[in-house]
Amino acid sequence: MDVEVLVRALAERRRLAHRDRWSREQVHVYRQARLAELRRWAVTRSTFYERHHAGLVDAPLSELPPVTKPMLMDAFDDVLTTRDMTLAAIEEHLRQLSDSSGDPGARWRRRWRTAATAGTTGVRAVLVWDDQEWATVLASYARATVWAGTPTGMRPVRMAVVSSRNPTHQSAVVAASARSPLIRSLRLDATAPLSETVSALNAFAPEVLVGYSSALRPLALAQIDGSLRIRPRAVMSASEVLSESAARVMTTAWDRAPFDVYAATETAGIASTCELGRRHLYDDLVIVEPVDAAGAPVPMGTTGARLLVTVLFSRTVPLIRYELSDRVAIGSGDCPCGRPYRLLETLEGRAEDTLSTAGRTHAGDLTVLRNVVEQFPVDMWQLAETASDEIRVLVVPHDGDAVPADEIRRRLEARPELHGHRVRVDEVATLPRTPLGKAPLRRSPPER
């Protein structure tokens, strides 16, 4: 247990809870002040931002040039605002941590926390935080659990997390550094056999269940068929898009709707659902800008082609208009819950999850198609694009149940996104997950 960081995180959580009671105007004023501080810090401490924002000191945020992941990693040593480390040193630390299955909660060089993305979009990013930044990361995730109604107080809470056990993944670092007598945690690997996970959860009886949507859905099916017997007070889906169909299955299984947590390694929490089921952006921690393919802002309620994020608490690795491939839309209006933050109207996953085939591009999002496949008893599924006019659907049946391949095929062929394509549905025993245990919806076509 890291007492110092937990004290910092608890203090930060209290500050976040106080801001939950602000007006929207108070949040706006606070956000602009923090943005000004971040921009001053970046241009005076980071040689990358000194160059990147040259001549733009007085420009509005919307006129600053974006930062892509390749740009960040190519110039990482110049982005850093400290000379106490280099990218090579961080990468070596992460390699040793992974090779030795070390403790992800231990500070690196007695000061820093580190994590890396999986690199599934083509480039792997690494991040580093000092103690105060890390306290804010922990507090942002704690905000989601508080909004979900997780019991707080002096009684220990049993929390099970089904995601990645890779010590370089942010979720592993969060869980390890947040260990305390008040949180009894069980970390389970999303890649483990379902039967092992079910047995572990039955023995642990978690009050809070957190995991990838692709891991929670088969657990919900196991609850429905009676092999899993837990009664969590809160179920939280994180790190993957939570589809309507998956949410319905979880609601049926545990008699309560799951809470959706939208986060990224680079930002920590971005948004989560309140007790009324509406997603609120963390406007006091991250500025989000949905933009079109040309980088122009999209109107309220319109889904962007990608997302630019500015992390207001980032200082070691400043992130100002950093590009994510996520496609989201910001909603208008207020929520009856009274929280002052803007609403996240839609979250459609990454641009990489857009359906495309050789020579053709479709606007359809695979999260729409998943609502067809997930009507059936399947633990996992994936679209494998095999030819310009053919889509192959791979499905893993749940607990030996028969998969009605012909019916899935007919319903998919009826979707306008697949008009003119042949659809094959093949049952498989398993599907690969990413190095961090996530389940990609789409397999790219082989090189020709």
Side-chain angles (χ1 to χ4, degrees):
M1 180 176 67
D2 190 327
V3 175
E4 181 181 349
V5 77
L6 285 177
V7 169
R8 286 177 182 264
L10 287 172
E12 189 64 25
R13 190 177 77 173
R14 285 193 294 271
R15 285 190 281 269
L16 266 59
H18 177 68
R19 296 201 290 269
D20 288 352
R21 299 188 294 271
W22 280 359
S23 67
R24 188 163 291 187
E25 177 60 25
Q26 285 176 297
V27 172
H28 174 75
V29 170
Y30 173 83
R31 185 172 62 240
Q32 292 306 111
R34 293 305 305 271
L35 174 60
E37 293 172 9
L38 172 63
R39 291 180 61 177
R40 284 194 298 270
W41 175 273
V43 297
T44 57
R45 299 294 188 101
S46 164
T47 56
F48 169 82
Y49 281 103
E50 181 182 14
R51 295 191 305 267
H52 202 55
H53 291 176
L56 298 170
V57 173
D58 298 321
L61 179 66
S62 60
E63 294 182 9
L64 299 180
V67 177
T68 65
K69 190 182 295 186
M71 289 170 61
L72 176 74
M73 298 313 300
D74 287 346
F76 194 84
D77 289 351
D78 287 342
V79 174
L80 285 168
T81 60
T82 176
R83 297 294 163 252
D84 293 345
M85 69 186 84
T86 63
L87 175 60
I90 300 169
E91 289 279 21
E92 176 61 18
H93 164 67
L94 292 172
R95 185 191 65 77
Q96 292 180 2
L97 191 65
S98 183
D99 289 349
S100 64
S101 298
D103 179 8
R107 289 186 181 97
W108 177 51
R109 296 184 175 179
R110 301 183 179 181
R111 181 178 178 186
W112 310 104
R113 312 283 177 174
T114 60
T117 65
T120 52
T121 59
V123 179
R124 177 176 182 263
V126 302
L127 281 301
V128 59
W129 304 268
D130 66 17
D131 282 347
Q132 185 54 50
E133 292 169 306
W134 189 245
T136 306
V137 169
L138 294 179
S140 79
Y141 288 119
R143 168 182 269 172
T145 62
V146 170
W147 288 8
T150 299
T152 58
M154 298 308 295
R155 182 179 64 81
V157 174
R158 296 187 306 279
M159 178 181 294
V161 182
V162 188
S163 61
S164 173
R165 291 183 59 84
N166 186 318
T168 69
H169 188 226
Q170 190 185 67
S171 68
V173 188
V174 167
S177 60
R179 282 191 296 250
S180 77
L182 296 180
I183 301 178
R184 292 179 54 197
S185 61
L186 173 68
R187 290 198 57 78
L188 299 170
D189 194 336
T191 65
L194 180 63
S195 59
E196 292 182 11
T197 304
V198 166
S199 296
L201 289 173
N202 281 335
F204 187 68
E207 297 170 88
V208 181
L209 177 62
V210 184
Y212 300 151
S213 174
S214 63
L216 294 178
R217 185 177 181 279
L219 288 172
L221 293 173
Q223 181 83 26
I224 292 170
D225 68 29
S227 56
L228 180 63
R229 299 174 300 279
I230 61 175
R231 288 288 179 264
R233 294 177 59 174
V235 178
M236 304 178 68
S237 174
S239 298
E240 291 179 341
V241 172
L242 175 63
S243 68
E244 294 177 5
S245 55
R248 283 195 297 270
V249 172
M250 294 177 206
T251 302
T252 299
W254 293 299
D255 197 27
R256 61 192 66 242
F259 289 85
D260 192 9
V261 182
Y262 175 36
T265 301
E266 296 92 335
T267 60
I270 299 175
S272 63
T273 47
C274 67
E275 62 274 15
L276 300 180
R278 305 192 72 181
R279 280 187 298 246
H280 294 260
L281 290 163
Y282 294 175
D283 285 322
D284 56 335
L285 297 178
V286 183
I287 297 176
V288 301
E289 302 175 78
V291 296
D292 62 20
V298 298
M300 191 81 70
T302 300
T303 302
R306 59 183 184 274
L307 185 67
L308 303 180
V309 294
T310 298
V311 184
L312 294 172
F313 62 89
S314 63
R315 293 295 183 271
T316 307
V317 182
L319 296 174
I320 302 175
R321 304 200 87 206
Y322 177 78
E323 182 179 301
L324 298 175
S325 60
D326 299 350
R327 295 177 293 124
V328 310
I330 298 176
S332 57
D334 301 314
C335 179
C337 78
R339 292 180 178 86
Y341 313 111
R342 293 175 300 165
L343 298 171
L344 185 63
E345 185 171 292
T346 60
L347 173 58
E348 296 185 357
R350 292 175 169 175
E352 292 80 18
D353 286 338
T354 298
L355 179 62
S356 61
T357 55
R360 301 180 61 180
T361 301
H362 308 268
D365 176 20
L366 295 191
T367 57
V368 174
L369 301 186
R370 73 190 296 175
N371 288 327
V372 173
V373 181
E374 291 179 2
Q375 294 176 32
F376 301 92
V378 298
D379 281 348
M380 291 178 65
W381 68 276
Q382 186 180 75
L383 291 185
E385 300 164 26
T386 57
S388 61
D389 61 349
E390 180 182 76
I391 300 292
R392 184 183 180 211
V393 183
L394 309 176
V395 295
V396 178
H398 175 71
D399 197 26
D401 291 337
V403 173
D406 287 343
E407 181 62 20
I408 294 176
R409 176 183 55 77
R410 282 193 294 269
R411 294 196 189 187
L412 286 175
E413 287 182 339
R415 297 294 306 186
E417 295 87 352
L418 297 181
H419 180 69
H421 286 76
R422 298 190 309 275
V423 175
R424 288 176 53 194
V425 178
D426 293 327
E427 182 178 313
V428 295
T430 186
L431 284 170
R433 289 180 178 264
T434 71
L436 296 183
K438 295 183 181 181
L441 298 181
R442 173 179 178 270
R443 178 182 299 176
S444 298
E447 295 292 333
R448 290 178 173 82

